[in-house]
Amino acid sequence: MKFFFSLIIILLFSSGVFSQETVLLNDPNTIYVVNDKLEVYIDKTGKQSINQINDQDFIKRKGNISNFGFSKKTYWFRFQIINVSEGHYNWLLELSYQFLDQIALYQEQKGSKILLYKTGRNYPFKIRPIKNRYFLFPLKAEKMLKETYYLKVQTTSNLTIPLKIFEQKNYLKLDHQQQITNGIFLGIMIFMSLFNFFLYFFLKERVYLDYAFMIALYSIFQMILDGLAYEFLWPNLVWWNQKSIIFVACLLAILIMNMAISFLNIKTYLFPFYKIFSVFKILYLFIFLSSFFLSYELVLKSILPLGILTTSSIFFVAFFAIRLKIPSTYYYLFAWILFLLGLIIMSLRMYGILPHHFLAVNSVKLGFLLLVLLLAIGLANKIRIVSVENRLVQQKIIRQQQEILEHEKQLKESFFRFVPFDFLRILSKENIFEIELGNNVQKEMVILFSDICDFTNFSEELSPRENFNFLNSYLSRLGPIIRKHKGFIDKYMGDCIMALFEGSVDEAIQSAIDMQKEVNLYNQQRKSLNYRPISIGIGIHIGSMILGTIGEHNRLDTTVISDAVNVAARIERLTKFYNVRTILSESILNLSSKKENYHYRKLDIVQVKGKRSTITVYELLDGLSDKDFQLKMSTKEKFELAITEYSQKNFTKAGELFRKILAINHIDKAAFHYLKNCESYLDYGLPDGWDGVTHFDIK
């Protein structure tokens, strides 16, 4: 069969069916370079559509077309493929230059040219046909059929078109290998950056800080060049993706000059160059600011010569530093020679002088990697020299280290007895070192309990890590609201929040309202991501309590001891029973100075577990969604009238009112609860000792 298939292909070649300009897709392990098969048409106006271009307008250029330099014109490329493979393979077209603004791929189908994909740097990452750092396009390649494709490119950057076709599985394998390479490179950069940050904090030498920042920023710069930054760091920030390379390049150049100044002691020994570098820094800042109103091409053409000039200046500085016998200058000079070579190769490629090949694409990365390694050796040599020549300084550093370690030991011992900062003021303590076992104070405070409704079932749908991330996201939204209203969080108990308010009860009420509103906003975001919405129950009560520290000498904790805390927790639990969002005790409403500003309805008279006395509770309607708020406000008078009839044992009339309420708002669980009670009492009579109080045994 293979022989017969190969014979057919040979015959077709000899008959001219397959022209020399056609890409033949046969071996899935082969990478097919498309550039030498491309035909080009240049639209000087940039306004022509695919249907306005004639086939004869396309011109075949000699050689491997890949780089056209800077151009404001619109380029059209045409290529043809024929799938002559024996198996069933999926083919991908790769355009491995990620700085092209607008790309459109068309396919000729039955005489019509159909738009398949539209992407580019000016579009969000999520619209790419395949989520990858490069532009990938699935190709429709029917067996033994000639397929014609058209590629339209418009860009303000240099126009580079490296096109290749891969079999999908082979591409994924090669891409995985490249990702490993990128990971190794970034891993080395991150390690070197963190290591030098550590050296800076340990030795207090500015050169290590400059070196660490330079490596860290270059890592980001390389991620931008490789397309990884747009894929992983800011996939939805189109505007920033266009400006980021200019911003990072300018800042990187400034950090490189800072590194030169500190490494070679330029300010001390070569002050004229220090002034020159100061001028360069201003120019880089000007270039970055001009990128907001000048064209990308003009800004890039400005920054590249300045980059070469900066690197050349660093080279000359190193030459003079050798004459002054500044330590480790030879390492520094050789490192910058390699990086300068890489920068020149990259610049020549971007101007279209050099083709788009592996060395040209990765010249800066390779040059910088060698620079980092050589500078690391140079810094190590610098440490050795400084160690030999400055033993007294080393002894001083050791003493400082001992002082730091002793200070850290004191901090650790203090944090073993850690007390929340908000308790310090209440306990009249100025700092954490004054906290002792048994410190306490009695105060009247407002207690707010908040809990996610049905969180147990909700959490079972998530993995432990997803639960952890969700809770942090949720709690980070509510914590600032509590602090905004002069409260503080005493405890997090899973999804439950216990907050205390020392001031007005209105601060606690307003905090509950804002918390409910924030959850409504959070649900809108979750809905857009197809996540399950959540609801929270809030209970608020007030009472006298003791705040203080308990435990033992080496392990302290803060606690609040009060019957009012238990009542507040029980009130919060009632939100699930009545299916309401916020419940206030009567004590809270009586102490409110803004009672008339709130919307609420009497909910019930209850006796919670552990309490002999009864509590009148109210549902706070503020903070509900607009729909729920309007429904409950429209039935508020009926509900309160029904409650009155219910308490007077007029169950028939009360039941009629509750039915009317449910006809308007069928999800009013409180009305449903009362209706069921009315029907039960009418059918079976009142329980012995019935006094209109609802008794709860739940904690």
Side-chain angles (χ1 to χ4, degrees), residues 553-587:
H553 179 71
N554 290 323
R555 179 65 176 93
L556 302 180
D557 200 0
T558 59
T559 191
V560 178
I561 300 175
S562 171
D563 182 61
V565 173
N566 296 329
V567 172
R570 305 291 191 272
I571 291 176
E572 187 278 324
R573 296 294 188 275
L574 298 183
T575 60
K576 299 176 178 62
F577 179 83
Y578 293 106
N579 193 28
V580 297
R581 297 294 169 258
T582 305
I583 295 180
L584 312 175
S585 69
E586 189 174 43
S587 301

Side-chain angles (χ1 to χ4, degrees), residues 458-522:
F458 176 84
S459 63
E460 289 176 354
E461 300 175 2
L462 306 177
S463 67
R465 181 176 295 275
E466 289 171 335
N467 267 307
F468 188 85
N469 293 336
F470 162 75
L471 284 176
N472 281 333
S473 174
Y474 160 74
L475 295 173
S476 65
R477 292 172 175 269
L478 300 190
I481 295 174
I482 293 171
R483 290 188 291 272
K484 173 185 173 183
H485 293 288
K486 303 177 183 178
F488 64 91
I489 297 171
D490 174 62
K491 286 181 178 63
Y492 289 120
M493 294 164 282
D495 62 306
C496 179
I497 298 173
M498 175 183 168
L500 302 175
F501 295 80
E502 189 180 10
S504 167
V505 298
D506 294 294
E507 293 289 355
I509 295 173
Q510 192 59 50
S511 178
I513 294 171
D514 291 347
M515 289 168 68
Q516 294 290 1
K517 290 180 178 179
E518 181 62 28
V519 170
N520 290 336
L521 293 175
Y522 186 36

Side-chain angles (χ1 to χ4, degrees), residues 177-190 369:
Q177 296 171 353
Q178 183 60 43
Q179 292 286 34
I180 293 175
T181 302
N182 292 336
I184 293 172
F185 175 79
L186 290 175
I188 294 173
M189 294 295 104
I190 292 172
L369 182 59

